[in-house]
Amino acid sequence: MSDHTRSSAAQIAAALADGTTSVEVTQAHLDRIAATEPSINAFLHVDAEGALATAADVDRRREAGESLPALAGVPVAVKDLINTTGQPTTAGSRILEGWVPPYDATVVARLRAAGLPILGKTNLDEFAMGSSTEHSAYGDTRNPWDTDRIPGGSSGGSAAAVAAFEAPLALGTDTGGSIRQPGAMTGIVGVKPTYGGVSRYGVVAMASSLDQVGPMARTVEDAALLHEVIAGHDPLDSTSIDAPVPSVVEAARRGDVSGLRIGVIRELAGEGFQPGVQSRFDAAVEALAQAGAEIVEVSCPSFVHGIAAYYLVMPSEVSSNLARFDAMRYGLRVAPEGVDGPSAEQVMAASRDAGFGDEVKRRIVLGTYALSSGYYDAYYGSAQKVRTLIARDFSAAFEQVDVLLSPTAPTTAWRLGEKTSDPLAMYLEDICTIPANLAGLPGISVPIGLADDTGLPVGAQLLAPALADDRLYNAGAALERLVSMPVLQEVAR
Ligand code: GLN
């Protein structure tokens, strides 16, 4: 195909330097979106006019001989949890339906400054709470490999858009796995940077001690290129780290694991892991060994408590962060039925009842309970202690190895509706990804082929110490080269 929708971002950047216009490339992606969306529903909002205006501006500047940033003119999609002026930001919730933010998130401002046309806003689980995108208030997103299946979540819209060639690049957010897991489910690359590595200013908060924004792309190099656009200190985010951004593009181009010590996490295998996932994973480990990596089995015994700790810490923070949706300052306002002259509190209660979905309510209730006096020590306090144990397991492991490796998720993509009535079954899908969030460490998911038993994409996850994001890109690029991942031919309709 010559319309560049099948090209990597790096290839598009090269074509742009060679005379192709960003308007052509951006229009091709808008056409692809128009053709594909009826079967995928990855986008909640498409901004053709805004994207083409940015593209035309970049083309004009290039024509005038200006030297431009590496990704100038390469289109991108943005998870609808991230503020964009001129485009709505719903967080996948009715409570923010129609809300247009008065300011850009720092990451969006950086995309604009680097000249990336923003194609639109992608679907997600409401307030990023979920692993399947089925908790969106605006309908399910479907997996391009099989449209009867979920694309993972919560950044399922971004993952599906990139996998279905609607966008070469996208931004997601990852609180417990929401970039890496949908990346694995749709056969693309997803990166959760070190906590504090990317600004969260203007990103709707889910759980502030865990949330990170990161890149999603079809190649490791493309993810690195986008990483360098968005990363780096931001005085507007008090958790932002004031340190140089690791050279991730250089690392992605290196892709050399010879002599690298890779630790395979013993606890993230066995019961509950789909055989087709395990066999792809074993083959990937073997390929890394063949390429000269030193494979070491490491034990992280506290990881088995990760889900329990996360599902106390996260809802506690959710219950506090979501208190701001009070129907007074912005968003949906509903009059309680049959009440004459309702009080502010009654309006708040009616609006929150109408505006929040069941999963969000479940977590607000859980979190409020975990923080309540008398239960705080037993629940929230114990969970914080487990969090410390998990961080210690990581520290001990990184004394033995340079990076850690596991499957990204225990299964491949499940059928729509299969787990919606069983929240616990859905939560168990997060077992591999949660430890990195609890410890603030970076992680990447790289596609490693299709599972023999389901024919669906499998991802492997690499984890590194804080601020060593470049190790992930180096090892991830090697893995990408060593395994064969089939290219999606066409979206099933
Ligand atoms: N699936 C996890 C959850 O439901 C992770 C969500 C996320 O990373 N935003 O909380």
Side-chain angles (χ1 to χ4, degrees):
M1 230 188 272
S2 60
D3 72 358
H4 296 291
T5 56
R6 297 234 163 205
S7 306
S8 69
Q11 287 166 338
I12 293 172
L16 293 173
D18 226 26
T20 302
T21 67
S22 174
V23 167
E24 279 171 68
V25 172
T26 303
Q27 186 60 56
H29 284 91
L30 291 166
D31 293 346
R32 174 78 188 165
I33 290 171
T36 313
E37 276 300 275
S39 43
I40 299 293
N41 192 36
F43 284 87
L44 295 179
H45 181 80
V46 175
D47 183 21
E49 208 182 306
L52 288 169
T54 303
D57 181 53
V58 167
D59 289 341
R60 191 184 47 71
R61 286 160 58 198
R62 199 185 301 274
E63 186 67 38
E66 225 180 279
S67 95
L68 297 169
L71 290 179
V74 180
V76 64
V78 175
K79 186 179 187 179
D80 202 24
L81 191 69
I82 303 177
N83 284 359
T84 43
T85 53
Q87 288 194 61
T89 297
T90 66
S93 181
R94 290 275 169 225
I95 213 156
L96 281 177
E97 193 165 9
W99 182 63
V100 180
Y103 65 99
D104 275 332
T106 295
V107 288
V108 168
R110 289 184 182 179
L111 294 179
R112 294 195 205 279
L116 284 82
I118 299 174
L119 295 165
K121 304 299 290 293
T122 57
N123 200 12
L124 67 155
D125 288 294
E126 187 174 1
F127 287 103
M129 299 178 201
S131 307
S132 68
T133 317
E134 293 167 295
H135 298 314
S136 169
Y138 304 101
D140 301 335
T141 295
R142 286 151 188 273
N143 191 318
W145 291 84
D146 177 349
T147 52
D148 290 331
R149 292 178 186 267
I150 57 103
S154 65
S155 312
S158 287
V162 171
F165 307 103
E166 295 175 282
L169 300 168
L171 292 186
T173 65
D174 190 313
T175 300
S178 281
I179 290 175
R180 289 162 288 158
Q181 184 261 17
M185 299 282 161
T186 59
I188 66 160
V189 176
V191 178
K192 179 199 110 59
T194 297
Y195 182 77
V198 177
S199 168
R200 299 175 307 170
Y201 177 72
V203 180
V204 179
M206 177 182 166
S208 307
S209 75
L210 304 162
D211 299 341
Q212 247 324 263
V213 179
M216 305 177 82
R218 289 189 298 269
T219 70
V220 173
E221 181 190 17
D222 283 3
L225 287 162
L226 184 56
H227 190 126
E228 288 196 1
V229 172
I230 59 173
H233 183 238
D234 177 15
L236 296 173
D237 174 354
S238 63
T239 63
S240 167
I241 296 173
D242 193 359
V245 178
S247 307
V248 295
V249 172
E250 195 265 321
R253 289 180 179 154
R254 184 156 22 97
D256 178 9
V257 289
S258 61
L260 195 75
R261 293 168 305 162
I262 300 180
V264 175
I265 304 168
R266 185 187 304 154
E267 286 75 12
L268 298 181
E271 204 197 330
F273 283 74
Q274 183 183 315
V277 168
Q278 195 62 53
S279 63
R280 273 291 158 222
F281 178 74
D282 294 343
V285 172
E286 180 55 37
L288 288 163
Q290 290 292 328
E294 187 192 326
I295 306 293
V296 183
E297 194 190 65
V298 300
S299 175
C300 296
S302 302
F303 283 18
V304 297
H305 305 299
I307 290 184
Y310 171 83
Y311 278 94
L312 287 166
V313 171
M314 173 274 297
S316 299
E317 296 184 18
V318 159
S319 71
S320 146
N321 272 328
L322 270 59
R324 62 167 63 82
F325 301 100
D326 58 4
M328 299 292 139
R329 287 172 288 186
Y330 39 71
L332 185 75
R333 184 178 300 169
V334 173
E337 255 173 73
V339 185
D340 207 19
S343 67
E345 207 176 325
Q346 286 170 317
V347 173
M348 249 177 246
S351 304
R352 286 167 68 84
D353 186 33
F356 289 141
D358 287 349
E359 183 63 25
V360 171
K361 288 177 187 163
R362 178 180 294 123
R363 296 190 190 201
I364 291 173
V365 171
L366 267 171
T368 308
Y369 184 78
L371 290 175
S372 57
S373 80
Y375 294 105
Y376 181 94
D377 286 341
Y379 294 113
Y380 184 77
S382 312
Q384 289 292 23
K385 287 179 190 150
V386 172
R387 196 171 180 174
T388 303
L389 295 178
I390 287 173
R392 283 189 196 150
D393 278 0
F394 272 120
S395 303
F398 288 127
E399 274 169 24
Q400 295 174 61
V401 297
D402 302 304
V403 293
L404 290 167
L405 183 66
S406 78
T408 307
T411 71
T412 53
W414 55 93
R415 285 184 200 288
L416 287 156
E418 200 179 312
K419 295 186 198 277
T420 34
S421 58
D422 186 353
L424 199 58
M426 189 92 83
Y427 300 167
L428 288 172
E429 285 285 334
D430 302 334
I431 178 138
C432 304
T433 47
I434 276 173
N437 299 82
L438 289 171
L441 307 187
I444 188 172
S445 178
V446 177
I448 53 167
L450 304 181
D452 295 333
D453 45 9
T454 57
L456 292 162
V458 178
Q461 165 185 248
L462 287 152
L463 304 170
L467 295 174
D469 305 46
D470 50 334
R471 289 191 204 169
L472 302 178
Y473 284 96
N474 173 45
L479 189 54
E480 178 179 57
R481 257 208 313 269
L482 291 166
V483 299
S484 85
M485 175 68 198
V487 175
L488 176 67
Q489 289 309 313
E490 205 27 90
V491 170
R493 276 165 215 256

